[in-house]
Each structure stands twice: as structure tokens, then as C-alpha cells.
């Protein structure tokens, strides 16, 4: 039928195109217009009469198919009659003959007057009857046809100008949403009527299981059935579920059910929970309520165990808590969400974070745990064991709110591990970074990856540099990736300067235009020590600062602190640390060791003896920890401001103008996976961008922001 209808339209469309040229035909414009109108009316009346001999299903299917074909055919007919529209139709319309329309509009009106008005109520009624009948006896229906008919109600072309057709009384209220007015309201009422008539047992504390089993079948059937034809763009399914809850989950019923649920959750009986999950799986209201019970139960029972600030105890305790409750409550995805929320609260809001007054403590403790593991894990651990430990770390990491805090602490500790060669395995370091990258993306781990790359390049560089005089290795680091603050330059001893200068000449010959800046405070070396009183030789592992001081005693056996400082140019606070470590080892001695002054005399201990052949004296210089922490917090704040400003620009650039509140909302949503973000900080960043002339308030609407390109 649709194919023959389309052919009919195209045949008349061809006649219209030829007949509208008066120089070639004797057909007048009015005759052609009347001929098209008569042909269309006759064709549609013929289709309408044929409906009397069709079944309900065939009628609905015919109607739906003709809607689609007629829409496209009318457009093509209008295009073919372009000359007729521009001349005869326009001339008559201008002469106040308002009943004359362009051909496309004429065809649409004929459709509405002839077929739509006659069949629309019938089609709607039959669709609703099919749905009602299927609820009652599960009789076979064509879901695809029903879905297509409902789809027509949402179609823009169908919605357009339908008010005048569906109700001839022009004084009646116009239909704003055809779908809601002519399908959704009646569909929901039919569903409510049906389920209120069902004979459901009375709920008692003893019959909860049977009651839930019975209504769960209704929920399961109705939700599955409704999803097969209801449009996803509408909230009909949610309203339908609410109606089922109004019928079966009254306040009294819900109270009885939840009392039982509280007991089941408190007892932590996995078997009862599995049975419970099967019963309430398709009942959203109970599902959410039970999920909340589980969330609160896990949090309240786990919070008391998280009290120690030690990073290893903190992480191990959380892993144990999670393992325990996953075994009990991980029955299905809906309960998994409740567990996730409980673990999130346990990790970010516990006794430790409350004591320190900040949730960032959890991120710091996790970073310290990673540091300890990567430095001290047993070399005998298998690859499987290492992967399992990484898995546990990443589970906690996913729940951390302030992942940027973790990144800062982790990066700082990574630098120390690599500089002082404390990592058990370089492959472990790479593996951990790759896992963080998989979760948070390239930008999150870019600095750490550059740091690891510098170490790899430095190994190759050291292999290429050969020095037969001393065993020398070097790490060449990118200044923009390694967070080092440069100290005052020192004076190298003659023994060291030649080697440092040799490598610098080698490096510059390979990399023209680059500049090497030596970071002596992070360097170390090995000295051989032999005293006059013994023939025993010792190997001393020392920092570069310790080495410089010890080499002075090749010149003479006693120095004042002031002369050592002048000879080496080591800052006094660090020189004191170096001297204290050497005095403590008894390689040097002084009468005054409790409070070192510039005039104190330091002497070499010619009678030094030690049972060990290899002695590790290397102690990294200690800076002010409080200042380091303040600097770290400041860098975090500054980095967050930059990240927020970048997000604002990303949002504003394509939109050009946006409401203030909506911009803040989108920024918070976009960055919530990186850190906890609050409105005042976003506002401050918006103000900064306004000051920098990236944004401005719209002159007549102050709550609208405009992007300045």
C-alpha cells in the first residue's frame, strides 16, 4: 500500500510540473490546483474506506506506515510544484483568497482533515487496548508497531498544528504535548487501575518474603514490558514505578518491611541477603532504602577501626574492612554502590581526618604507604604478590577525594626514591605510574613519567661517559619536572672538581645550548679512609657535602668551623648537620659537640676504628619540615587555581556566554574526580579571569558571563 501511494503522488507531481507552464499546455493554474486537491482527497478517502475491512493490528500498521510515506511525498510534491506555488498560488493568496495554500501545506491539510481526524482517536484507543490486553492475558502483540505509533506522538512534524485537528472547538485549551495528553495520562491510569484490582495478600511481619515475591513479579513484568515501547526521552517509566509504589508500598507496609531489613543487615547473614536481593531487585524504593542501611552499617562498624596515623596500619586496616564487608554484602551491583559510598566515607571522613581537620590526610597516608612498599618490599615477592599489592593500593586510591594531594606527595617521594636510589625495582615504579595513568589519564602522571624517563636517559648517558680515573655516574634531570630549589653554590675540592668539569665538557659537546646546574646537596660518593694508627682501610659512603669536608683533612688534621665554612661555602645550617654526622661517627672529634659555633675546632680522629669495613654515613640534608609542608600546601592551592581557570576557559570558549550558576556547576562536575572543589574557590578563579579580561559580565544581565576572545 505505501508504495502505490507514493507512486500516485509522484505521478501527479510530474503533471503539476508540466501543466504549470502555460506556454506548453492549455491547463490553467486553478485547474491544476483543483486536480491535485481532488486526487489527494480521493486517494485518502479510498484508504480510509479500506480500513473497514482490516483487523485492528493491520489498521494501526497501515496508519503508521502511511504517516511516514505521506510526509516525504508531500515535500517532494511541493518541490515539483514550485512554479505553481510561486505564481498562481502566491497571486491568489495576495488577492485575499486565504483558502488557497502552497501544495505541500495543501497536502498536509487534506491528510489532517481526511485521515488523521478520522483515525487518530481509533488508533490511540486500539494501542491502549492492546497494552491492557497484554497485561491481562499476555496475548501476542506487535511491540514494534506500538513503539512506532508512540514515536509519532513525539515527532516534531506530528506535534505541529495538531491542536486544531484533534479538537474542532477552537476555544478549547491547546495541546502542548500530544504524547502526554493523548497517551501517557491514559496509559498510566490504565496501569494503576489494573494493579489496584489485583488480589495481593495482606502484609504481616511473617509474610514479608511472600509479599515481596508477589509484588516483585508485578514490578519485573511491568518494567520489562514498559521499557520495550516507552520512549527513553520521557519520564513515563519513573511515574509508572511511583504508582506501583503508591499501591504496594504504603507507609505502613514500608515500615513493616524496613524493620525486617534492618535485622537482616545487622545480622550480616549473607544467605538472607542473597534471598533479599532477589526479592527487591526490581523494587527501586526498597532497593534504595536497603542500600542506605548497608552503607550506614558498614560505615558505623568500620569507622572505629581507623584510628592510627601510621600509613601502613591505615591502609591495611581499610583493606581488611573492605574485604570483610565485600564478602558479606557484595551480592549485586545495587549493593555494590552502597559499599562504594561507605568505603568512600570511611577513607575520607574518619577519626584521623577529623583529628587533623582535613580529608587530605588520607591521600598523604596512602602516598606514604606506596613509598614504603616501593622502598622496602621483599625482593622475594612474586610478580603476582606485587600486582595484588598494587591492586589494593589502587582500590583505596579510587575512593580518595583529593587525588591531586596524592599526586603531590607521591611525586615528592618518587623524586627522593630515585635520587637516593632507594627503589627496590625500577619496573615497579613504572608499573605503578602506568596504573595511575589508566585511572586518571596522561595529564595526571605526565611529570612522574618525565622523571622516570630522565632516569632511563641518565643511565645511557653514564654508560657513554667513560672515566678511567674514578667510578662516576650522573643523573641529568629536566628542570621543569624535578621539584628542586637550588641552594647557594659550594666550592668543590680539587679531587672532585676535575671529574665534574670533565663530565660537563662531555655533556655540553653533545647538547649545545644546554646548561648544567649541579645539585650537590643530593649527590653522594665513596671515600677510602686509612689512618696512621692502623693499616685497615675503610670505605665510607658519604654525601657530597660530607666528602668535601672530609677531603679538607688531607691538608691538615684540624680546622675551625669558620674556616671550614669559608673553604667550602656550605651554608652554616647545613654545615652543622654535616659536622654533627661526622662527629657522631667519631671520624672527627671536637670538645664542643652539643652546640657548634664558628670558632670551635674540629679535628681528624687518627685513631678511628670500626668493626665494619663499609660504613654508610650518608644522611640527606634536612630542611625545615614545617616550611616544606607550607610550600607543598601553597603549591597545591596554586595548582588548583590554574586547573579551575583552565576548566572555566574550556567550558566558556565554545559556549561564549553562560549563566554564572551554570558555569560553577559545570566546573565542579568536571573537576570532581580530581579534588573536592568548593564554590568560593571557583568564584575566586572566575574573578581572576575577569581581572585578566578573559571573561566579563553581560551589561544588562549581571548573572550572565561572556567569553572575551
Amino acid at each position: 500500500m505505501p508504495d502505490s501511494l507514493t507512486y500516485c503522488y509522484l505521478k501527479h507531481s510530474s503533471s503539476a510540473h508540466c501543466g504549470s507552464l502555460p506556454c506548453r499546455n492549455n491547463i490553467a493554474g486553478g485547474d491544476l490546483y483543483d486536480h491535485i486537491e481532488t486526487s489527494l482527497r480521493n486517494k485518502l478517502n479510498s484508504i480510509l474506506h479500506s480500513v473497514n475491512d482490516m483487523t485492528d493490528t493491520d489498521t494501526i500498521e497501515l496508519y503508521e506506515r502511511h504517516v511516514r510515506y505521506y510526509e516525504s511525498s508531500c515535500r517532494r510534491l511541493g518541490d515539483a510544484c514550485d512554479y505553481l506555488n510561486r505564481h498562481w498560488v502566491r497571486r491568489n493568496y495576495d488577492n485575499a483568497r486565504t483558502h488557497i495554500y502552497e501544495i505541500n501545506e495543501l497536502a498536509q491539510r487534506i491528510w489532517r482533515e481526511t485521515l488523521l481526524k478520522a483515525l487518530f482517536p481509533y488508533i490511540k484507543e486500539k494501542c491502549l487496548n492492546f497494552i491492557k490486553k497484554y497485561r491481562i492475558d499476555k496475548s501476542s502483540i506487535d511491540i514494534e508497531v506500538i513503539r512506532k505509533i508512540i514515536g509519532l506522538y513525539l515527532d516534531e512534524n506530528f506535534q505541529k498544528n495538531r491542536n486544531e485537528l484533534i479538537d474542532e472547538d477552537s476555544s478549547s485549551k491547546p495541546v502542548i504535548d500530544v504524547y502526554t495528553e493523548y497517551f501517557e495520562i491514559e496509559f498510566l491510569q490504565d496501569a494503576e487501575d489494573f494493579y489496584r484490582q489485583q488480589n495481593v495478600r495482606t502484609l504481616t511481619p511473617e509474610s514479608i518474603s511472600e509479599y515481596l515475591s508477589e509484588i516483585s513479579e508485578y514490578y519485573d513484568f511491568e518494567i520489562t514490558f514498559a521499557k520495550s515501547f516507552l520512549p527513553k526521552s520521557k519520564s513515563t517509566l519513573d511515574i509508572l514505578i511511583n504508582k506501583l509504589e503508591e499501591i504496594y508500598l504504603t507507609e505502613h507496609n514500608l515500615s513493616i518491611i524496613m524493620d525486617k531489613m534492618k535485622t537482616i543487615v545487622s545480622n550480616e547473614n549473607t544467605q538472607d541477603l542473597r534471598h533479599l536481593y532477589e526479592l527487591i531487585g526490581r523494587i527501586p524504593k526498597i532497593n534504595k532504602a536497603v542500600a542506605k542501611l548497608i552503607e550506614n552499617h558498614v560505615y558505623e562498624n568500620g569507622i572505629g577501626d581507623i584510628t592510627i596515623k601510621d600509613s601502613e596500619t591505615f591502609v591495611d586496616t581499610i583493606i581488611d574492612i573492605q574485604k570483610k564487608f565485600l564478602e558479606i554484602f557484595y551480592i549485586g551491583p545495587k549493593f555494590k554502590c552502597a559499599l562504594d559510598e561507605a568505603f568512600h566515607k570511611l577513607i575520607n571522613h574518619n577519626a584521623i581526618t577529623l583529628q587533623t581537620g582535613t580529608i587530605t590526610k588520607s591521600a598523604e597516608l596512602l602516598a606514604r604507604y606506596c613509598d614504603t612498599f616501593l622502598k622496602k618490599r621483599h625482593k622475594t615477592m612474586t610478580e603476582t604478590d606485587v600486582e595484588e599489592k598494587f591492586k589494593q593500593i589502587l582500590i583505596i586510591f579510587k575512593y580518595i577525594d583529593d587525588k591531586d594531594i596524592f599526586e603531590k606527595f607521591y611525586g615528592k617521594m618518587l623524586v627522593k626514591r630515585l635520587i637516593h636510589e632507594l627503589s627496590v625495582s625500577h619496573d615497579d615504579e613504572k608499573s605503578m605510574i602506568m596504573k595511575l595513568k589508566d585511572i586518571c589519564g596522561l595529564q595526571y602522571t605526565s611529570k612522574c613519567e618525565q622523571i622516570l624517563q630522565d632516569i632511563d636517559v641518565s643511565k645511557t648517558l653514564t654508560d657513554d661517559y667513560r672515566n678511567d680515573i674514578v667510578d662516576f655516574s650522573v643523573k641529568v634531570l629536566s628542570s621543569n619536572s624535578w621539584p628542586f630549589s637550588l641552594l647557594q653554590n659550594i666550592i668543590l675540592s680539587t679531587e672532585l672538581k676535575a671529574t665534574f668539569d670533565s663530565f660537563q665538557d662531555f655533556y655540553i659537546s653533545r647538547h649545545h645550548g644546554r646548561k648544567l646546574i649541579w645539585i650537590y646537596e643530593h649527590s653522594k660518593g665513596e671515600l677510602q679512609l686509612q689512618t696512621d694508627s692502623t693499616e685497615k682501610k675503610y670505605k665510607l659512603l658519604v654525601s657530597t657535602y660530607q666528602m668535601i669536608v672530609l677531603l679538607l683533612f688531607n691538608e691538615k688534621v684540624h680546622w675551625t668551623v669558620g674556616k671550614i665554612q669559608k673553604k667550602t661555602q656550605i651554608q652554616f645550617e647545613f654545615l652543622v648537620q654535616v659536622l654533627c654526622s661526622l662527629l657522631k661517627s667519631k671520624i672527627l672529634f671536637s670538645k664542643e659537640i652539643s652546640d657548634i659555633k664558628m670558632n670551635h675546632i674540629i679535628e681528624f680522629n687518627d685513631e678511628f676504628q670500626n668493626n665494619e669495613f663499609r660504613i654508610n654515613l650518608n644522611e640527606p640534608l634536612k630542611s625545615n619540615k614545617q616550611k616544606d609542608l607550607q610550600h607543598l600546601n601553597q603549591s597545591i592551592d596554586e595548582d588548583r587555581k590554574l586547573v579551575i581557570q583552565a576548566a572555566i576557559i574550556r567550558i566558556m570558549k565554545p559556549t561564549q556566554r553562560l549563566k554564572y550558576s551554570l558555569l560553577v556547576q559545570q566546573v565542579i562536575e568536571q573537576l570532581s574526580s580530581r579534588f573536592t572543589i568548593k564554590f568560593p574557590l571557583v568564584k575566586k578563579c572566575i574573578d581572576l579571569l575577569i581581572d585578566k579580561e578573559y571573561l566579563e559580565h553581560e551589561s544588562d544581565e549581571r548573572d550572565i558571563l561572556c567569553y572575551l576572545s
Side-chain angles (χ1 to χ4, degrees):
M1 181 69 73
D3 293 335
S4 62
L5 182 65
T6 305
Y7 174 76
C8 174
Y9 299 152
L10 293 177
K11 180 178 70 173
H12 285 299
S13 130
S14 176
S15 300
H17 182 66
C18 297
S20 61
L21 299 173
C23 60
R24 295 185 181 179
N25 295 280
N26 295 322
I27 301 177
D31 294 337
L32 180 58
Y33 186 91
D34 292 340
H35 181 67
I36 292 173
E37 181 178 3
T38 302
S39 297
L40 288 173
R41 288 188 185 279
N42 290 340
K43 183 63 181 179
L44 292 179
N45 279 320
S46 172
I47 293 172
L48 185 60
H49 291 316
S50 68
V51 167
N52 297 328
D53 301 324
M54 292 184 180
T55 64
D56 291 341
T57 303
D58 289 340
T59 303
I60 292 174
E61 188 175 18
L62 175 142
Y63 176 80
E64 187 275 328
R65 285 158 58 193
H66 274 308
V67 169
R68 303 297 183 192
Y69 279 94
Y70 197 89
E71 289 284 352
S72 60
S73 296
C74 286
R75 286 194 297 272
R76 283 179 286 184
L77 180 61
D79 292 341
C81 294
D82 179 64
Y83 188 88
L84 182 67
N85 286 331
R86 287 189 291 110
H87 293 276
W88 187 87
V89 172
R90 173 53 56 187
R91 185 167 60 250
N92 279 271
Y93 188 82
D94 291 341
N95 291 332
R97 294 184 64 188
T98 54
H99 63 285
I100 300 297
Y101 308 99
E102 289 192 354
I103 298 302
N104 186 13
E105 175 62 20
L106 173 69
Q108 296 284 357
R109 284 179 171 273
I110 294 171
W111 165 269
R112 296 196 291 262
E113 292 168 4
T114 307
L115 209 62
L116 177 63
K117 245 182 175 182
L119 287 183
F120 180 80
Y122 172 85
I123 296 297
K124 178 197 69 172
E125 181 185 351
K126 291 304 177 185
C127 277
L128 289 168
N129 286 341
F130 283 151
I131 293 170
K132 284 192 286 188
K133 193 170 186 301
Y134 185 75
R135 277 200 191 97
I136 296 170
D137 56 18
K138 310 298 185 294
S139 56
S140 177
I141 60 173
D142 192 335
I143 292 292
E144 186 62 27
V145 172
I146 292 178
R147 186 191 296 118
K148 287 179 178 179
I149 291 296
I150 294 172
L152 289 177
Y153 299 154
L154 301 172
D155 189 270
E156 185 178 340
N157 291 326
F158 188 85
Q159 299 260 5
K160 190 177 179 182
N161 296 323
R162 290 311 192 245
N163 297 305
E164 61 188 72
L165 301 167
I166 297 166
D167 190 346
E168 291 183 349
D169 183 3
S170 59
S171 64
S172 63
K173 183 178 69 173
V175 177
I176 297 174
D177 187 338
V178 174
Y179 169 81
T180 301
E181 187 78 12
Y182 290 94
F183 175 77
E184 184 181 70
I185 293 174
E186 291 189 50
F187 166 75
L188 292 172
Q189 188 60 55
D190 288 344
E192 183 176 357
D193 293 343
F194 175 79
Y195 287 106
R196 286 197 183 278
Q197 293 169 9
Q198 301 310 301
N199 185 22
V200 179
R201 72 180 70 230
T202 303
L203 176 63
T204 64
E206 294 74 28
S207 66
I208 289 176
S209 211
E210 293 79 5
Y211 183 81
L212 288 176
S213 179
E214 193 170 345
I215 69 170
S216 179
E217 289 184 14
Y218 291 144
Y219 272 85
D220 188 53
F221 165 76
E222 192 62 36
I223 292 173
T224 303
F225 178 48
K227 278 184 176 180
S228 67
F229 60 84
L230 288 180
K232 293 180 180 179
S233 60
K234 293 291 184 176
S235 60
T236 314
L237 181 60
D238 294 332
I239 301 172
L240 176 62
I241 293 172
N242 289 338
K243 286 192 175 292
L244 291 174
E245 288 171 350
E246 288 173 9
I247 297 168
Y248 298 122
L249 299 177
T250 62
E251 188 174 341
H252 173 71
N253 286 356
L254 194 60
S255 176
I256 295 174
I257 293 169
M258 291 314 298
D259 285 343
K260 179 68 172 179
M261 299 304 170
K262 288 174 185 176
T263 303
I264 293 174
V265 171
S266 298
N267 291 338
E268 297 181 354
N269 188 306
T270 305
Q271 186 174 352
D272 286 349
L273 286 165
R274 288 189 185 280
H275 179 61
L276 167 67
Y277 193 82
E278 292 173 2
L279 293 178
I280 68 171
R282 300 303 289 268
I283 309 176
K285 193 168 187 176
I286 300 179
N287 224 315
K288 290 176 184 176
V290 175
K292 194 64 180 177
L293 284 177
I294 292 173
E295 178 190 325
N296 293 337
H297 176 82
V298 172
Y299 181 72
E300 290 166 4
N301 284 270
I303 192 69
D305 296 331
I306 307 174
T307 56
I308 301 174
K309 292 183 185 178
D310 169 69
S311 63
E312 192 167 354
T313 306
F314 173 78
V315 172
D316 289 344
T317 301
I318 290 175
I319 292 297
D320 289 342
I321 292 171
Q322 189 195 41
K323 184 178 179 181
K324 170 190 171 183
F325 287 115
L326 278 176
E327 288 176 355
I328 298 170
F329 292 112
Y330 189 18
I331 312 299
K334 294 181 178 65
F335 286 178
K336 177 62 166 58
C337 292
L339 291 169
D340 285 342
E341 189 58 36
F343 297 146
H344 172 265
K345 287 165 64 178
L346 280 170
I347 291 168
N348 294 285
H349 304 282
N350 50 61
I352 296 172
T353 60
L354 290 173
Q355 186 179 350
T356 57
T358 172
I359 65 173
T360 62
K361 191 65 180 176
S362 297
E364 179 187 346
L365 288 172
L366 182 60
R368 294 193 185 284
Y369 181 86
C370 295
D371 183 55
T372 302
F373 174 71
L374 291 166
K375 286 193 301 188
K376 298 181 179 180
R377 68 109 169 153
H378 294 297
K379 293 183 179 180
T380 56
M381 286 182 72
T382 64
E383 186 176 334
T384 303
D385 293 336
V386 173
E387 283 298 314
E388 180 61 28
K389 185 62 68 174
F390 282 152
K391 181 180 177 182
Q392 293 175 353
I393 290 170
L394 293 172
I395 286 172
I396 298 178
F397 173 76
K398 289 178 181 178
Y399 293 119
I400 292 287
D401 271 342
D402 294 309
K403 291 182 173 59
D404 60 332
I405 304 292
F406 175 88
E407 176 194 4
K408 283 289 182 184
F409 278 101
Y410 187 91
K412 185 179 179 182
M413 294 169 191
L414 172 66
V415 166
K416 287 184 178 180
R417 290 196 300 274
L418 296 179
I419 283 294
H420 300 298
E421 299 177 352
L422 301 174
S423 298
V424 173
S425 166
H426 194 65
D427 289 338
D428 286 356
E429 296 286 3
K430 288 183 176 179
S431 178
M432 184 65 189
I433 297 301
M434 289 302 296
K435 293 178 190 304
L436 292 173
K437 182 180 178 180
D438 290 341
I439 296 172
C440 297
L442 174 63
Q443 187 177 359
Y444 187 80
T445 58
S446 58
K447 283 189 178 181
C448 291
E449 287 187 280
Q450 180 61 54
I451 286 171
L452 290 173
Q453 184 179 336
D454 285 350
I455 296 298
D456 290 338
V457 171
S458 295
K459 288 178 181 177
T460 304
L461 197 63
T462 299
D463 292 339
D464 292 344
Y465 174 73
R466 291 182 175 83
N467 190 319
D468 298 329
I469 301 173
V470 294
D471 183 9
F472 179 80
S473 65
V474 67
K475 295 179 177 69
V476 180
L477 316 174
S478 306
S479 58
N480 61 342
S481 299
W482 295 75
F484 291 133
S485 54
L486 300 179
L487 298 180
Q488 178 182 325
N489 207 0
I490 62 173
I491 299 175
L492 291 175
S493 57
T494 306
E495 296 91 335
L496 295 176
K497 191 173 186 306
T499 301
F500 278 74
D501 288 347
S502 172
F503 178 81
Q504 183 155 314
D505 292 341
F506 163 77
Y507 184 81
I508 297 301
S509 68
R510 286 193 164 201
H511 303 281
H512 299 289
R514 293 189 184 179
K515 181 181 179 181
L516 284 180
I517 301 174
W518 295 98
I519 309 175
Y520 301 115
E521 63 270 24
H522 295 292
S523 303
K524 63 182 179 180
E526 187 176 287
L527 284 179
Q528 182 173 287
L529 171 65
Q530 183 177 10
T531 63
D532 294 337
S533 61
T534 178
E535 294 182 357
K536 187 175 182 180
K537 294 180 181 180
Y538 301 96
K539 283 190 176 181
L540 306 179
L541 305 179
V542 291
S543 69
T544 301
Y545 279 30
Q546 290 173 324
M547 187 181 293
I548 292 170
V549 170
L550 286 173
L551 287 172
L552 289 177
F553 290 91
N554 282 336
E555 299 177 24
K556 55 181 182 179
V557 295
H558 57 82
W559 293 80
T560 65
V561 174
K563 286 186 177 180
I564 293 175
Q565 201 277 327
K566 183 177 180 180
K567 190 81 172 176
T568 62
Q569 291 297 301
I570 298 174
Q571 292 180 39
F572 183 72
E573 65 170 305
F574 297 124
L575 180 59
V576 169
Q577 293 182 39
V578 171
L579 292 174
C580 284
S581 66
L582 296 174
L583 289 168
K584 183 179 178 181
S585 70
K586 298 182 180 180
I587 294 175
L588 303 180
F589 73 92
S590 173
K591 295 178 181 178
E592 303 287 344
I593 61 173
S594 58
D595 186 16
I596 295 176
K597 303 291 184 184
M598 293 292 278
N599 60 347
H600 288 174
I601 296 175
I602 308 294
E603 297 184 50
F604 177 71
N605 181 11
D606 192 49
E607 296 181 356
F608 171 79
Q609 290 187 10
N610 196 294
N611 294 329
E612 300 292 333
F613 163 70
R614 188 179 178 88
I615 306 170
N616 187 2
L617 302 175
N618 183 22
E619 292 184 5
L621 297 175
K622 298 175 183 177
S623 58
N624 188 313
K625 287 187 177 180
Q626 187 63 31
K627 286 184 179 179
D628 282 352
L629 189 59
Q630 288 177 357
H631 176 73
L632 185 64
N633 288 333
Q634 287 175 0
S635 67
I636 289 169
D637 289 341
E638 291 304 315
D639 286 350
R640 284 187 173 182
K641 288 178 185 175
L642 292 174
V643 170
I644 292 171
Q645 289 178 63
I648 292 170
I649 295 299
R650 280 198 304 272
I651 294 167
M652 288 298 299
K653 194 169 183 179
T655 59
Q656 294 294 310
R657 64 191 298 274
L658 200 62
K659 197 171 182 179
Y660 196 106
S661 58
L662 187 57
L663 173 61
V664 172
Q665 179 185 339
Q666 290 188 24
V667 169
I668 292 174
E669 288 175 357
Q670 195 174 105
L671 300 179
S672 60
S673 62
R674 291 199 63 175
F675 54 83
T676 305
I677 182 171
K678 297 181 180 178
F679 172 77
L681 185 57
V682 181
K683 181 180 181 301
K684 186 174 183 179
C685 292
I686 291 174
D687 292 340
L688 286 171
L689 290 173
I690 291 173
D691 292 340
K692 294 176 184 177
E693 298 184 350
Y694 285 97
L695 304 175
E696 69 174 3
H697 289 284
E698 200 164 83
S699 56
D700 53 345
E701 292 187 72
R702 299 294 293 173
D703 64 334
I704 300 293
L705 288 169
C706 298
Y707 177 74
L708 301 176
S709 54

